[in-house]
Amino acid sequence: MLDRRKLLVVGGGVAGGAILVPDLVRGLSADATGHQQAQQPHHIGSVPGARVKRPLAAGEPFSVPMPRLHEQRPVSSTYDTDCYQVDIRPADVEILPGVSTPAFTYNGKFSGPTFRTRVGRRTKIVYRNLLDRPANVHLHGAHVPASQDGHPMDVIQPGQSRTYDYPNTQQGCTLWYHDHSHHTEAEHVYRGLNGFYIIDDPSEDRLGLPRGAYDVPILLRDALFDANGELLFGGNPNDRDVALANGKPAPYFEVDARKYRFRLLNAGTERTFNLTLGTDQEMTQIATDGGLLPAPVVRKSVRVSSAERVEIVIDFARYPVGTKLVLNDAKLGPVLRFDVTRTTSDYSRVPATLRPLPVLPAATVTRDVSMSFDLTTVPFPTGLINGRAWDPARSDFVVKRGTTEIWNVTNADPQYIFHTFHMHLVQFQVLEVNGAPPGIDYQGRKDTFWFDSGDKIKLKATFDSHLGKYAFHCHFLEHSSLGMMAQMEIVP
Ligand SMILES: [Cu+2]
């Protein structure tokens, strides 16, 4: 009799069918050292239809420059609002040099255009869906009314348009936007429906951090290409062997010998980057998902899991002109190379204190959130939160507005099955990781974190703004597609 726990669909299988995986963890244990092994995503979440043909190699690293992402211009502006128009449409894009790749795009851009606004300025974006399938847009990390959140069941039908209206009333931060249409979010995001949304904060200008041309968003992700240059989706996410930075494979980026602020976003649907610079050179982390940290933290390696943002400052003045510094991922290898090309003046700085965390009120409600797979279901495992798969008709938690709550979030899966946790609407603070004070990966204003099998994360959140239904889920989007999602309803 088949061991159904092992019956998972992975790349290499027959289209539309399941194949037997000899060992749930085989793909992980064979190809990494212990340290790296613990950081790798597992392969649950593979979906049918994958035919992993002979992959197309990405070519030599550092053969193309990393582009700066296109910044979207408003079509109209008033004294307090900027209006934009965006088509969600298929486009052929050049990711690998000289190769045309079909993608899903916002306005034909891969990665999507960057929206840049300021605290207190309103943004209205009209999205027209020119795909042949429903799509929608979630602004990840944003404090917005439920009607503007891009709820998984609130989609834009093909040929239809809708306007999202964002108040931008939270503090300065690096957000991102992406498709969240249920069951198809993983494929849509993988095929290109993602981009930066940055809220600048005038109250942070006095800090003197690098700005303008020295403030560079970098969208990281992984990909797998077939022999025709098409993006392969549906196989084992671990097979995605090409690291992309701003839509290019392991590019180089010319920098002046001075400080830069890099806003790193991991838009990979089921990938965790573990990044080092050169031969363990220092990077100074200044911000996380929801904005600046209380103080900078010097790091020699940086973990960025799916949907997380990590902002770092690198001071290239430490290196002579001609230096080439590789940003390297523990699994994928080179992600990006910084080439120091010229000296310049630099009046920017990283002050010893940045922005204090808000002091949240005492919590009056405690909840438990347990994330796991039912590995007995076929052809796919079923993603569960507190033992139940996603049901949009159900409000899993009812939260009274104004309440501060403690959530104990547990990865209840066995060894080697990793998850991430993302809560819509609020930025929370992690109080404890397995009973201990949180390390740097969990500090600051967070909306997403990665956690290992068995980990228990205690977080605190205050629900003091909007009413309505908001999702919380695993942000490995293959997992949320399989049901690892729930919703809370904020009530008066
Ligand atoms: Cu998960």
Side-chain angles (χ1 to χ4, degrees), residues 42 371 373 413 417-420 474-476 479-480 484:
H42 60 88
M371 300 169 76
F373 274 113
D413 265 324
I417 299 182
F418 310 134
H419 297 300
T420 54
C474 180
H475 215 291
F476 286 150
H479 296 193
S480 57
M484 198 174 286

